[in-house]
Each structure stands twice: as C-alpha cells, then as structure tokens.
Amino acid sequence: MKGLLRKIFMEVRWPVLILSIGLALIMALLTELLPKVLGDIDKVFAKLPFVKPLITALLGMDPGEAFTAQMTQAFLWVHPTVLSLIWAHELMYSSRMPAGEIDRGSVDFLLGLPVTRWKLYLSETIGWILSGLFILCVGFSGHWLASAALQPEMRPGAYATFGIITNLMAVYVAVGALAFLVSCNSDRRGRAVGIMFAILLMSFLLNFLAQFWEPAKTVSFLSVMEYYRPAAVIQSGHFPMTDVGILLGAASVFWIAGGVIFQRRSICTV
Amino acid sequence: MSVIATQQLSKCYGLRRGVDDVDLRVGAGEIFGFLGPNGAGKSTTIRLLLGFLKASSGNATVFGQDCWSDSATIKQEVGYVAGDVRLYPWLTARKALQIVGEIRGRDILSDGLQLADRFRMEPDLPVRRMSRGNRQKVALMMALAHRPKLVVLDEPTSGLDPLMQDTLADCLRELAAAGHTVFFSSHTLSEVESLCDRIAIVRDGQIVVNEQLSRLKARAPRTAVVTFESATVANSVTVPDFITIQSRSNKELQIQITGAAVELTHWAAAQPIIDLSVGPPNLEHLFRQYYKGNAARPVHNAAAGGSAKDAADMEEYVPFPELENS
C-alpha cells in the first residue's frame, strides 16, 4: 500500500497544490467581495429575474426571506467557481483509475504488480479523500483569513461553518464515488469525465427547474444539490445530519458497486 | 509440477474469439517461446495468465494457483513486461525501483541499479525524456530486479538495439540456468530460435505447434546443392524419394531434404560429384507451412463471427511478411 500511495502522491501533488491555492484565493476574494455585491442584490433581482430562482436553487432557500448578514456568507459555499474547482479536481481524480490507467496503457504496470484490485481501488480512494480534505482545508483557510476583515456579525459561527464544510465534503464524497463507479465501467477517461460532467449538469438543472416546475420537483431528490444547503445550516445553526447521512449512504453504495465491478471485470489495454 | 498450465483455455470478446482451447504446460527452468503474428492471441494468453482477463472457459494456473482468483499471490514471483510499455512520465528508474520494492515488500534497489548499469541506462532520467528503447529497459529492469521465479515477456525486444537484445538474452539464460522459468512471446522467429528450448506457435487463437525446438529442426527441410562432374550427369541423374529436386542448372542440382543429412551423404558418395553443400534446417519454411496450412485452422462459423469472406481473406493471409520476402 505504501508504494501505491507514494505513486499516487507523485502523480497528483502538483495539481492538488495548485488547485488548493487557487481555491483559497478565490474564497478569500469572494469573502471580501460578496457583502458588497449582495448589498445591491435586490436591484440585481429586479433587473435579471432569472437570477433569483438560480440563487434560491443553489442556496436551498429564498434569499429574500429572513436573509441575515451572516447568511450572505452562504453564497461563498455555493458559488459556481468554488463548486466548479472542487468538482474539476474530483472528476479528474476519480477518473484516473481504472479508466485513466487503461486509457493510458499504464494499467499493465499496475496489474503486473502483486496487489489485489481491491488494494489498488482502496489506495486510490485514500488519495482521493485526503486530497479532497486538503483542498477544502486550504480553501477554507483563504476564507478564514479574509473573514478577519469582515464585521463580526457577518461571520458565521464555527459550528455552522463546520456543518457546511462537512456537508460539502459529503457532496464531494458522493460525487466522487459516483465518478469512481463510472470510471470502473469505462476504458476511456474522456468518456468517464464526460458522463460525470453530464450528470452534474443535469443535477444542477434539475435543482433549478424544481424551483418553478412541479414535475421536476417530484424527482428533485435525485439532485445532489438537494442535500447541500449552506444557507439553511447558517440559519438554523444545526448540523445537516440527514443530508450528510443520505450523501454518505449513496456514496457507500456507489463506491462498493465500483469496487465490485473493478474486481470482476476483464481489463484490456488493446 | 508445471509452472504454467492451461487447459482448454478460451477467451471471447463478444462474438470475436481471442484464444480458443489453449493447452500449455511450461516447466521450471524452461525458456518457452510463444510465437505468432500480431493479433494471433499471444497477449490475450499472457493477460489470462496474469489475471488481467477472466477466461470465458477452461482454466489456467501458475505455480499451481488459479490465475484469476489468486492473481496477486502469483505475481509475488512473477516479473512481467507488457507488449506496449506505457509508464508514467514522471517516473525514473530509481523511483520505479523504490515504488515496486515497497509494493513487493523487499528492497530491490541495488539489484535494480545493477541491471540499469548492465542495460546502460541512466537511473534518474524521467520517462518523459526517454526513448522507446529506454522505456523498455525500465520495464525490463522492474520485471527482473526481484529475480522472479517466472518471467513473462510480451515482445520484450521491441525498441532494443541488438546489443541490448543480447544483454537481455544473457539475463534470461542466467535466470533459466538458476531454475527460473521464462515465457517469451514474440513474432520474430530468429530471437525465439536463438533463445528458447521449446516453442508454441499460436495462430488465430489456437496453438498449432507446441514442441521442442530440436525436434522441429529435425523436421525442418534443408536445402543442398550438389555439383556433378558434368552437366549431362546433372541432367540425367535420378534421385531417391527423400530428395526433392528444386532446380537444375548446368552441373548443379539444387535439392531439398527433410531431417538429418546422413542419407544424403550416403547417396552422394555413390554419385560422380565434385562438391556437396548442405544448408542448416530451414525453420522459416516450416513455420510458413504452419501459418499457411489449413490443418490446424480454427473453425470459422457464424456464431464465432466468421463468414465466407473471412475464410477467403484467410487464404491470402501472410502472417510473417518478412519471412515471405526473405
């Protein structure tokens, strides 16, 4: 396992570091800018009516209702740039093995070694979880440093922030586990990334449509964003236990299914 | 006990047959040549042996253990070089030895560096800056550094210069002399001929020959040139059944014999000849016969995705064009 983890570290260290720093900078910038932008949010809603349902979908609640100064920070955690960066890392990482290795042909090297496929899968999973934690922690540090400049009443409580980060990590785990499942069924990395990108896009679209289209509402439970509501967490101050539980439950099913498929499938690079 | 044993091993890719009813036995200390043209099923057989692919039917064992379910255990004592070596761009020979050593749970760095020296390669050069031949050397070094009981090589000499091919052959002979087994896949007859004790020829996924090289050589035809005292004698001479006349030219008679040359020398001693020249066994000719013959051709039917057109194409199929031209 140590050799496999070393190999993973050698491969992903620079992309993860660069992405983490990028995320930290963006989160710091957003922390600084969001209060200023959101001060005029009513004007934006009046001018661009479609923006409100979009933000409502992202936040999981209507930004016009009982929106406190603290809750403006919820925008940070659902900002498309933040989510895009995290998911970009996730899709690139989770599609590395086995789809990426088969695509590149290097899976022959890995499978020629005396390790079980479960061990390969587990080592990739450890790398994926650790890199996700690292990216989120570095990203959060950007927000934390920048929030020192905010007025105290605008800073969410530590417990609420912990709840949001845990919820985001659960989203990361659920999406990544699904990406692993897709990757285990594919011989082409591009195809695996494409399928996951389509799934995430559909998830966003479903969440958005559910705000004003009844048929979409009935199936909105399929959207990953349905279980990630930072504004509600800040408002209630409660840990999102149900959402995290559902996300981790789904992640477990996807991950095990991916592992079983990887264990049983024939692998051929030609 | 055989190191490698397969029984009626078959692998289908949908309707296409990869390998079909392959029966192989390779013993300890053997250098076994696995010969066949591109697409014949060599790599598929190797992938089945290493547990990359699950057999459609039949079974395969290495060291008496099942190739699919005990694959990780088997590979503790196996060194493998893939047919098309693809490595990570950041990898160097030294890092590769460290990583593989950690995975194998033994220190292979010093043995690996000795091999690197033998193969004349720089241990700290990253793969992205290596030539194809050097990448091949890294793969060979990783496969041989732990001195495995079984070495499985899928066309390992591609990209290697003749000197390095010789170095590899020396390494493999040393391993075999120490009781290790070498499974050597190739589509080049000459390297298999110079290295292997026994060979199997695979064609269209089926084993068409599995024999000691010495026996094959005994069956291979030889060409001989007999020079007579005069053109008249050369044109009128009658030959016994074991000789086939290929051409007559002035005083010379070009003939072909099969097997040992003793009978030919006895016959020639009674003839008015002034010279006799006998060539070595022509394995290429024999192999061409195996490849072009119909005797062992797999049955092509609709269920296997075959058709009348496929059969017609097969008739014109030349598996070793370089041999045809030689």
Side-chain angles (χ1 to χ4, degrees):
Chain A
M1 186 71 95
K2 193 179 161 193
L4 291 174
L5 291 175
R6 182 199 285 266
K7 177 226 152 215
I8 292 167
F9 176 73
M10 299 293 287
E11 278 197 303
V12 303
R13 56 187 172 166
W14 292 116
V16 166
L17 190 65
I18 290 166
L19 209 133
S20 305
I21 293 168
L23 187 67
L25 290 174
I26 283 170
M27 289 190 84
L29 199 66
L30 288 172
T31 304
E32 191 66 29
L33 292 179
L34 274 174
K36 292 166 191 162
V37 175
L38 293 175
D40 294 329
I41 194 74
D42 288 337
K43 287 178 193 165
V44 176
F45 289 162
K47 203 179 277 181
L48 303 165
F50 66 92
V51 173
K52 194 172 180 182
L54 189 65
I55 291 177
T56 305
L58 284 170
L59 287 172
M61 66 182 295
D62 190 336
E65 290 170 9
F67 216 68
T68 63
Q70 268 189 343
M71 284 163 67
T72 56
Q73 289 303 309
F75 279 96
L76 171 75
W77 296 100
V78 293
H79 195 279
T81 318
V82 172
L83 293 179
S84 299
L85 276 175
I86 292 170
W87 285 343
H89 159 71
E90 177 143 83
L91 296 196
M92 294 318 287
Y93 192 106
S94 305
S95 60
R96 288 172 69 246
M97 227 280 294
E101 296 279 358
I102 296 171
D103 204 2
R104 182 163 54 178
S106 47
V107 77
D108 281 344
F109 162 72
L110 283 180
L111 294 183
L113 296 170
V115 283
T116 60
R117 293 190 188 184
W118 271 115
K119 217 172 202 179
L120 284 176
Y121 193 60
L122 194 63
S123 61
E124 285 294 327
T125 304
I126 291 170
W128 158 61
I129 297 285
L130 289 180
S131 65
L133 278 173
F134 180 77
I135 285 173
L136 283 185
C137 287
V138 175
F140 171 72
S141 68
H143 162 63
W144 183 72
L145 288 172
S147 65
L150 295 177
Q151 290 171 353
E153 68 271 15
M154 296 194 82
R155 294 183 210 148
Y159 187 67
T161 306
F162 171 71
I164 293 169
I165 292 176
T166 309
N167 201 169
L168 183 55
M169 188 64 197
V171 171
Y172 174 87
V173 170
V175 172
L178 183 59
F180 267 107
L181 174 59
V182 172
S183 173
C184 287
N185 278 291
S186 180
D187 287 348
R188 296 280 171 266
R189 189 179 195 180
R191 191 185 299 158
V193 171
I195 290 169
M196 274 312 296
F197 184 74
I199 289 172
L200 284 176
L201 204 63
M202 290 297 288
S203 183
F204 263 109
L205 197 62
L206 191 61
N207 200 43
F208 177 65
L209 290 176
Q211 304 305 312
F212 47 84
W213 192 39
E214 202 57 36
K217 206 171 276 180
T218 57
V219 290
S220 64
F221 69 92
L222 292 172
S223 167
V224 71
M225 297 307 289
E226 186 76 7
Y227 309 101
Y228 178 56
R229 292 170 290 191
V233 174
I234 292 174
Q235 188 183 40
S236 69
H238 293 142
F239 187 84
M241 189 64 82
T242 310
D243 289 340
V244 170
I246 291 170
L247 288 167
L248 292 183
S252 304
V253 172
F254 297 146
W255 187 82
I256 291 168
V260 170
I261 290 166
F262 180 50
Q263 176 74 14
R264 293 184 176 181
R265 65 171 292 196
S266 286
I267 290 179
C268 194
T269 50
V270 286
Chain B
M1 188 183 71
S2 300
V3 172
I4 296 174
T6 70
Q7 273 184 317
Q8 293 178 306
L9 187 67
S10 299
K11 176 67 188 172
C12 296
Y13 301 102
L15 290 174
R16 194 167 61 84
R17 236 182 281 178
V19 293
D20 188 19
D21 275 347
V22 168
D23 289 309
L24 281 179
R25 281 188 191 279
V26 183
E30 255 192 281
I31 303 185
F32 183 82
F34 200 49
L35 199 63
N38 297 327
K42 301 188 300 296
S43 296
T44 299
T45 307
I46 287 173
R47 288 193 164 103
L48 285 163
L49 291 175
L50 293 171
F52 296 8
L53 301 175
K54 191 172 187 177
S56 305
S57 62
N59 65 66
T61 59
V62 171
F63 307 127
Q65 293 180 296
D66 185 78
C67 288
W68 177 255
S69 55
D70 303 318
S71 172
T73 316
I74 288 169
K75 283 180 279 194
Q76 277 290 355
E77 292 299 340
V78 173
Y80 166 61
V81 175
D84 184 14
V85 172
R86 304 281 182 91
L87 296 168
Y88 310 100
W90 50 267
L91 198 69
T92 64
R94 193 185 299 276
K95 280 178 191 162
L97 289 168
Q98 284 167 346
I99 289 170
V100 173
E102 281 172 355
I103 292 170
R104 290 195 176 279
R106 56 176 107 162
D107 184 10
I108 56 170
L109 189 60
S110 57
D111 287 343
L113 290 176
Q114 276 177 22
L115 273 173
D117 188 43
R118 206 167 164 182
F119 281 112
R120 291 181 199 168
M121 61 179 301
E122 205 181 310
D124 295 308
L125 190 70
V127 163
R128 64 173 167 272
R129 286 167 56 193
M130 283 184 188
S131 66
R132 188 176 167 219
N134 278 331
R135 288 200 297 270
Q136 193 75 13
K137 289 178 195 174
V138 174
L140 284 165
M141 196 193 62
M142 284 192 285
L144 301 175
H146 61 293
R147 294 187 66 78
K149 286 182 183 162
L150 171 64
V151 185
V152 179
L153 306 171
D154 193 356
E155 301 184 10
T157 54
S158 54
L160 294 184
D161 62 56
L163 286 177
M164 288 302 117
Q165 289 183 19
D166 290 345
T167 306
L168 173 62
D170 290 343
C171 289
L172 298 180
R173 285 193 193 100
E174 285 164 20
L175 279 171
H180 302 235
T181 307
V182 179
F183 188 94
F184 190 98
S185 156
S186 175
H187 59 79
T188 311
L189 174 63
S190 56
E191 63 185 11
V192 171
E193 192 183 346
S194 65
L195 187 68
C196 301
D197 313 317
R198 193 158 62 90
I199 62 161
I201 296 178
V202 60
R203 189 187 72 192
D204 298 326
Q206 291 191 321
I207 302 291
V208 291
V209 174
N210 184 354
E211 216 169 345
Q212 290 290 336
L213 202 61
S214 54
R215 285 192 192 172
L216 275 173
K217 280 181 177 171
R219 290 216 318 272
R222 290 160 183 253
T223 300
V225 179
V226 188
T227 309
F228 290 89
E229 288 172 353
S230 67
T232 317
V233 179
N235 285 328
S236 62
V237 70
T238 55
V239 295
D241 290 344
F242 67 87
I243 294 175
T244 308
I245 296 174
Q246 289 186 316
S247 64
R248 292 175 199 261
S249 161
N250 198 13
K251 294 179 188 176
E252 283 185 358
L253 198 63
Q254 187 169 318
I255 60 172
Q256 192 179 65
I257 58 164
T258 302
V262 180
E263 283 182 307
L264 173 67
T265 53
H266 286 161
W267 171 78
Q271 305 299 318
I273 66 169
I274 53 171
D275 193 21
L276 173 65
S277 160
V278 184
N282 188 349
L283 278 178
E284 290 178 0
H285 180 87
L286 191 68
F287 290 152
R288 247 179 288 166
Q289 283 182 330
Y290 280 120
Y291 276 85
K292 291 171 84 175
N294 291 315
R297 177 165 294 167
V299 177
H300 280 253
N301 55 34
S307 64
K309 185 182 175 301
D310 292 339
D313 290 345
M314 291 283 291
E315 290 300 326
E316 293 173 9
Y317 172 56
V318 181
F320 283 142
E322 72 273 25
L323 299 184
E324 286 291 300
N325 298 330
S326 63

